[in-house]
Amino acid sequence: MKLVPQSIAGRLFAGFFIGAAVILIAAGVFLQNEVSDIVIGSVDRTLHSKRQMITGLLHEEHGRVELELSEIIAGEYVIPRSGHYYKVVSDKAVLAASPSLTDDHFEFPGADNGRLSTSTGPDDEPVRLLRYHYAAFDKNFEITIAESLVDSLAMISAFRSFLLVSIPSSLAILCFAAWWIARESLRPLSSFSETIETITHRNLADRIEGETTARELAGLARSFNAMLDRLQAVFEGQKRLVADASHELKTPLSVIRTHCDVALQRPRSAEEYAEALQTIQLSARNMTRLINDLLSLARLDAGLLSSEILTPVFLGDCVADALQMTGPLARERRVTLSSAIEEDCSVTGSRTALTEAFLNLIENAVRYNGEEGRVSVVAKAENGKAVITVSDTGSGIRKNDLARIFERFYRADAVRGSEGTGLGLSIVKSVVEAHGGEISVESEPGKGSTFQVMLPLAVREGGPS
């Protein structure tokens, strides 16, 4: 499990690295283009401004077209090879030009009328060139203006160098930050994983401290602890079940073995053999009943009931089957059985399991009843639930025993010597809960007990049945 956080951290780190690299490179390319456009655009605006100024200075005087050079040939334009050039041609005659162009008879290559282009200057330096044809005073003029791009390209190059340094540096810083954040964020998960690995069947009582766990994992810690609670309860129940089953099976096995040993010590009469066989038969019956009860509980614990195809079951049929099977015991103990089942009491479930549950309840009510006692079963529909009550006039259950009667193998002191496995009520509770219901009991010593089972009614078209 330790590989999981590292794998997640690796994927997070790789994803962040690729995303950050793409974003930074795209941002660098965008900024590079924007800066180039701004710098070159500034030069282009200067050229258009100079062109407008030159055309504005052209004028005609005494039939001759003149250019007032004194207003523009100043500073940068009078310095040879200064990077600032202009030339005005009228009818193939040079009207005015920068010294670098007239002395060397230099001509700029490229550029159409009114279009801007990048060309080469007198010193082989890159220049931005504007060549413009202008008609005025019945003459045609060709105005050429150029500005050196050396400083502009140097600025763009410097900015590019800055990006080439800053983008990898930023990427390295961001990647380190992402790696650190991913590692620190997943550290609680790694600790969580290590804690889980230490929990085995030997220390199921250990829990993950939710208060010291990262907030994002607190819910997972609570869910995991709840799962451990359920596992511990099942594990402890299985251990208790095995221990109790071993204890309960030991007694009938000891009886069988003892009677076999005694019967085989010497020849016996037919009556003695019959008596020994009857005792062995009774012990075998108790063992069979205990084993069947254990199998029922194991089946319910394994969730096999929930995997069955459940169908609508009329509770009257289940109660009738249970009463029929309990009839011989009731007649033997002279206990009167009665039932009243409403027609609408149908649930979705397993008829076999529900019959077994009612059989256990009715059989207990008969077994722990007095002579001439009564057992009544009533079922009716209330608020979308089937409510079944099994009442008896028996000895009742003491208050301190009520809280434990549904525990496996638990038997109250008052009935400890009687027949039974101590699993019947556990089976009833498991069956009821597997059907989405609940069971409760009310009892008063000397006056009897009433068990109440509530099960969801079967849903039919138009609502509950």
Side-chain angles (χ1 to χ4, degrees), residues 182-441:
R183 188 192 66 174
E184 293 302 313
S185 298
L186 295 174
R187 189 187 297 276
L189 186 59
S190 178
S191 175
F192 189 87
S193 173
E194 291 174 357
T195 303
I196 291 175
E197 288 182 345
T198 62
I199 297 177
T200 65
H201 66 284
R202 302 181 186 277
N203 60 340
L204 274 177
D206 293 349
R207 295 293 181 269
I208 296 174
E209 297 295 335
E211 293 78 9
T212 58
T213 304
R215 183 176 58 184
E216 293 78 5
L217 296 178
L220 181 59
R222 288 192 296 270
S223 299
F224 187 78
N225 287 338
M227 182 191 69
L228 287 179
D229 291 337
R230 294 192 296 271
L231 285 176
Q232 186 179 14
V234 171
F235 192 75
E236 294 296 331
Q238 291 296 330
K239 289 199 322 186
R240 187 170 61 252
L241 180 63
V242 171
D244 291 341
S246 301
H247 175 74
E248 294 293 332
L249 288 172
K250 189 182 298 183
T251 300
L253 284 172
S254 298
V255 172
I256 292 173
R257 180 176 178 179
T258 299
H259 278 76
C260 288
D261 290 344
V262 171
L264 294 173
Q265 282 179 354
R266 59 180 176 81
R268 303 283 179 176
S269 65
E271 292 78 7
E272 290 175 324
Y273 281 126
E275 182 181 354
L277 288 174
Q278 288 175 353
T279 303
I280 292 172
Q281 184 184 45
L282 179 61
S283 297
R285 285 177 180 171
N286 290 336
M287 289 177 58
T288 301
R289 179 168 182 165
L290 176 60
I291 292 171
N292 288 335
D293 287 347
L294 288 172
L295 288 174
S296 295
L297 282 173
R299 183 170 175 269
L300 291 168
D301 288 343
L304 296 182
L305 179 59
S306 61
S307 64
E308 291 183 4
I309 299 176
L310 304 181
T311 58
V313 178
F314 176 53
L315 293 180
D317 296 335
C318 300
V319 172
D321 293 344
L323 289 174
Q324 183 179 3
M325 287 184 280
T326 317
L329 179 63
R331 288 190 291 272
E332 179 185 340
R333 293 178 175 270
R334 290 187 288 180
V335 174
T336 303
L337 301 177
S338 64
S339 64
I341 312 296
E342 291 185 357
E343 292 294 330
D344 292 337
C345 287
S346 294
V347 300
T348 300
S350 166
R351 177 172 176 172
T352 303
L354 289 171
T355 300
E356 183 179 8
F358 291 131
L359 175 62
N360 277 292
L361 286 176
I362 297 171
E363 190 176 82
N364 280 350
V366 172
R367 192 180 302 280
Y368 304 118
N369 214 322
E371 290 189 2
E372 308 299 333
R374 296 184 306 279
V375 175
S376 64
V377 183
V378 178
K380 55 185 177 180
E382 289 183 359
N383 300 323
K385 293 183 181 295
V387 181
I388 308 98
T389 57
V390 179
S391 304
D392 64 66
T393 58
S395 58
I397 305 170
R398 292 186 303 177
K399 187 174 182 180
N400 58 343
D401 291 325
L402 282 176
R404 301 189 59 190
I405 60 172
F406 294 107
E407 293 181 10
R408 299 178 183 184
F409 292 108
Y410 179 77
R411 307 186 72 190
D413 293 336
V415 298
R416 193 173 295 277
S418 60
E419 294 181 19
T421 63
L423 294 174
L425 290 179
S426 297
I427 293 175
V428 174
K429 187 172 187 294
S430 296
V431 170
V432 171
E433 290 179 347
H435 284 79
E438 54 188 28
I439 183 171
S440 61
V441 58

Side-chain angles (χ1 to χ4, degrees), residues 114-229:
R115 292 188 178 180
L116 292 161
S117 65
T118 301
S119 185
T120 305
D123 281 339
D124 292 329
E125 79 273 28
V127 297
R128 192 69 170 164
L129 177 66
L130 172 62
R131 182 166 290 150
Y132 181 73
H133 294 274
Y134 176 69
F137 313 114
D138 296 327
K139 294 181 181 293
N140 294 317
F141 299 91
E142 182 183 84
I143 302 172
T144 303
I145 308 171
E147 291 284 335
S148 173
L149 292 176
V150 172
D151 293 338
S152 300
L153 295 179
M155 182 186 302
I156 295 173
S157 178
F159 184 74
R160 185 186 300 112
S161 299
F162 169 77
L163 290 178
L164 291 175
V165 173
S166 61
I167 288 178
S169 301
S170 301
L171 190 59
I173 294 172
L174 287 174
C175 288
F176 174 80
W179 170 81
W180 184 84
I181 292 172
R183 188 192 66 174
E184 293 302 313
S185 298
L186 295 174
R187 189 187 297 276
L189 186 59
S190 178
S191 175
F192 189 87
S193 173
E194 291 174 357
T195 303
I196 291 175
E197 288 182 345
T198 62
I199 297 177
T200 65
H201 66 284
R202 302 181 186 277
N203 60 340
L204 274 177
D206 293 349
R207 295 293 181 269
I208 296 174
E209 297 295 335
E211 293 78 9
T212 58
T213 304
R215 183 176 58 184
E216 293 78 5
L217 296 178
L220 181 59
R222 288 192 296 270
S223 299
F224 187 78
N225 287 338
M227 182 191 69
L228 287 179
D229 291 337

